[in-house]
């Protein structure tokens, strides 16, 4: 990482989201930057681009992963849950324990790859109770909180809203809105999920609308941050658009690209 900004030198921040197990590129993501910002989803449960990768195929094989993805893509969520339940019934060990052990293994690798300083918030597939156990002194975890970087104020809101997918860190709309409210007026509003705008929440490969936040959209209109940065939608219809005074940017599916988004001022 570059040294702390001083004098009139420009500040450079690299931003990543949806890391999903890509520790190799994560270790280089902060090169040349004053700080790294991570918007969550470190865990790789199932790679929709390569069904052989992730916790699910490690346990049940790529063929079963193919079938699960097909059910979810067709929005047959109840069938997908029943299919998964049948597979888990044959494991012979508590499901929560098996998943937590696999997540811990991934987190140990992911957090070791974070450069100093890193500012991070949770994604919807993350397990927040484990983060503070793995975050080293150079990593600051924020959720409904603010931090100053290079003279700009960054606000962080993690997690996702409730969906039929039932991923680990989904919360209710009111709880999410309260975290947005707690952040208040900032220069850069950092969230895992996008504001509720059709072009920003539609995934062109999954062919479905993901959940965005109306409270986030309202906050953008009301507080007018310079930037709203987010991830979550891996292949959005639109990656970048302006809402009033705010530049809204999907910083990308880092697991697939291996490249951070660069913010400089």
């Amino acid at each position: 990482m570059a040294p702390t900004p001083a004098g009139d030198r420009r500040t450079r921040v690299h931003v990543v989201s949806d890391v999903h197990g890509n520790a190799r590129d994560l270790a280089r993501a902060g090169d040349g930057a004053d700080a790294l910002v991570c918007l969550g989803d470190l865990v790789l449960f199932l790679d929709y681009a390569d069904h052989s990768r992730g916790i699910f195929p490690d346990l049940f094989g790529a063929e079963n992963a193919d079938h699960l993805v097909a059910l979810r893509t067709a929005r047959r969520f109840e069938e997908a849950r029943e299919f998964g339940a049948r597979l888990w019934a044959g494991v012979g060990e508590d499901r929560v324990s098996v998943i937590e052990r696999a997540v811990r293994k991934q987190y140990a690798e992911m957090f070791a790859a974070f450069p100093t300083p890193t500012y991070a918030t949770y994604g919807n597939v993350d397990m927040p109770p484990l983060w503070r156990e793995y975050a080293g002194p150079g990593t600051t975890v924020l959720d409904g909180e603010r931090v100053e970087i290079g003279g700009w104020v960054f606000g962080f809101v993690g997690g996702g809203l409730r969906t039929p997918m039932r991923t680990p860190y989904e919360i209710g709309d009111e709880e999410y809105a309260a975290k947005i409210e707690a952040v208040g007026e900032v220069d850069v509003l950092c969230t895992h999920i996008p504001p509720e705008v059709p072009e920003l929440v539609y995934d062109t490969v999954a062919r479905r609308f993901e959940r965005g936040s109306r409270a986030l959209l309202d906050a953008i209109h009301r507080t007018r941050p310079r930037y709203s940065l987010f991830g979550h939608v891996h292949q959005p219809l639109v990656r970048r658009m302006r809402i009033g005074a705010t530049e809204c940017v999907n910083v990308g599916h880092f697991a697939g690209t291996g490249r951070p988004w660069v913010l400089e001022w």
Side-chain angles (χ1 to χ4, degrees), residues 36 38 42 110-121 131-132 134-142:
L36 178 72
C38 177
L42 301 183
M110 295 295 105
F111 280 93
F114 276 142
T116 297
T118 291
Y119 302 92
T121 196
W131 274 43
R132 296 191 187 278
Y134 288 93
T139 299
T140 303
V141 179
L142 304 120

Side-chain angles (χ1 to χ4, degrees), residues 1-264:
M1 304 289 283
T4 302
D8 295 329
R9 193 174 65 78
R10 293 176 67 82
T11 299
R12 181 182 175 102
V13 170
H14 290 179
V15 189
V16 301
S17 186
D18 299 271
V19 177
H20 293 301
N22 189 352
R24 181 192 62 187
D25 291 322
L26 185 61
R28 301 191 294 264
D31 290 355
D34 296 293
L36 178 72
V37 166
C38 177
L39 304 184
D41 271 10
L42 301 183
V43 173
L44 179 61
F45 187 75
L46 175 56
D47 188 337
Y48 276 57
D50 180 354
H51 302 169
S52 68
R53 297 181 64 245
I55 294 171
F56 186 91
D58 285 349
L59 290 168
F60 304 117
E63 186 174 340
N64 284 322
D66 289 343
H67 186 56
L68 182 68
V69 170
L71 290 174
R72 287 181 170 178
T73 302
R75 303 188 66 80
R76 293 157 59 185
F77 296 116
E78 192 59 41
E79 290 179 61
R81 279 192 290 274
E82 292 172 357
F83 175 65
R86 290 195 300 272
L87 293 175
W88 280 104
V91 170
E93 188 178 350
D94 176 61
R95 175 177 179 168
V96 173
S97 299
V98 172
I99 291 177
E100 182 174 318
R101 187 164 60 246
V103 169
R104 283 181 176 277
K105 182 179 179 182
Q106 291 189 10
Y107 277 169
E109 190 175 11
M110 295 295 105
F111 280 93
F114 276 142
T116 297
T118 291
Y119 302 92
T121 196
Y122 317 109
N124 61 292
V125 303
D126 286 310
M127 298 176 69
L130 299 181
W131 274 43
R132 296 191 187 278
E133 187 176 332
Y134 288 93
T139 299
T140 303
V141 179
L142 304 120
D143 189 15
E145 299 164 284
R146 302 147 56 101
V147 69
E148 184 177 317
I149 306 173
W152 280 16
V153 178
F154 285 65
F156 290 79
V157 174
L161 297 173
R162 293 198 176 108
T163 71
M165 302 285 280
R166 299 183 184 177
T167 51
Y169 192 41
E170 294 181 354
I171 61 177
D173 290 65
E174 289 186 5
E175 183 180 352
Y176 193 89
K179 292 196 294 184
I180 292 286
E181 185 69 23
V183 164
E185 294 186 14
V186 295
D187 294 292
V188 185
L189 187 48
C190 299
T191 58
H192 177 68
I193 63 174
E196 191 181 79
V197 177
E199 295 89 339
L200 297 176
V201 300
Y202 185 74
D203 191 304
T204 60
V205 173
R207 299 192 304 277
R208 65 169 179 256
F209 290 96
E210 303 289 355
R211 280 216 67 187
S213 169
R214 179 70 197 186
L216 173 57
L217 179 60
D218 290 345
I220 290 169
H221 283 296
R222 185 177 68 255
T223 66
R224 299 164 59 88
R226 300 172 191 261
Y227 289 92
S228 167
L229 307 181
F230 48 86
H232 186 56
V233 183
H234 294 178
Q235 297 90 14
L237 186 63
V238 172
R239 292 197 175 275
R240 188 167 184 158
M241 68 184 301
R242 200 159 189 88
I243 298 176
T246 303
E247 192 72 20
C248 300
V249 184
N250 183 319
V251 299
H253 178 211
F254 185 77
T257 68
R259 297 189 302 274
W261 186 78
V262 177
L263 177 61
E264 194 169 17

